[in-house]
Each structure stands twice: as C-alpha cells, then as structure tokens.
Amino acid sequence: GASPGRTALVAVTSAFVLAGAAWLVLDTQSIRLAATAVLVLLGITAYGLHRFELVRLGLVPESDDGDASTPLETEPTADSTAETTTRPTTEPATDS
C-alpha cells in the first residue's frame, strides 16, 4: 500500500484543487454553478479512483477490442459434437 504521507499529500492536494476550482467558478459565476462544478469534479475523481482500483487489483480484462464481457468457456454446439463423434480416427490400432 501507499505510505500515509503520500495518502495525506494526495488528500490535501485534492482539497486545494477542489477549493480552487470552486473559487474560480464562484468568482465569475453564481454559487449554484460553483457547487455544480465541484460535484462534477468529485464525480470524475471518484470514477477515476474506481477505475484505478480495478486496474490495480487486476479486475480489468486484457482485451484489445474493449469488450469487457469475454466468455471464459464456450459451450459446444450440437454441430461440433456431431462432427467429433462421426469423424474417423487416424491413429493406428494398438490391439495385439
């Protein structure tokens, strides 16, 4: 895990960024817009933290096509089962 000093630094920096964003928006807009901006920033931060945890814990599949719902096993179909049972074997018989 991260050291307590690093966690505290990230928390203090995040608080300053949120306060600074609210102050900048409040300086030019209404308090309602400043509150909305802070809530949007909190939402983006929470989602980013969630994604970071998923990657850190290895819960994100390593797929290049972006499809997160890759099947683990495929069920054999009736056609593939019939093919395997009617296909002749090419191995020599070992009966002696």
Side-chain angles (χ1 to χ4, degrees), residues 3-90:
S3 66
R6 180 188 281 175
T7 303
L9 180 65
V10 168
V12 169
T13 304
S14 299
F16 278 131
V17 167
L18 286 173
W23 178 71
L24 285 174
V25 173
L26 186 59
D27 195 33
T28 60
Q29 302 295 326
S30 69
I31 192 160
R32 191 170 292 199
L33 188 59
T36 303
V38 169
L39 287 176
V40 167
L41 287 174
L42 280 173
I44 291 170
T45 303
Y47 179 72
L49 180 62
H50 166 71
R51 292 297 297 176
F52 175 74
E53 287 176 343
L54 287 178
V55 170
R56 182 80 183 226
L57 293 174
L59 300 175
V60 177
E62 296 180 13
S63 175
D64 290 340
D65 59 0
D67 186 18
S69 61
T70 55
L72 297 177
E73 292 183 26
T74 56
E75 295 286 329
T77 60
D79 294 337
S80 66
T81 308
E83 288 177 8
T84 57
T85 56
T86 59
R87 192 178 316 156
T89 59
T90 57

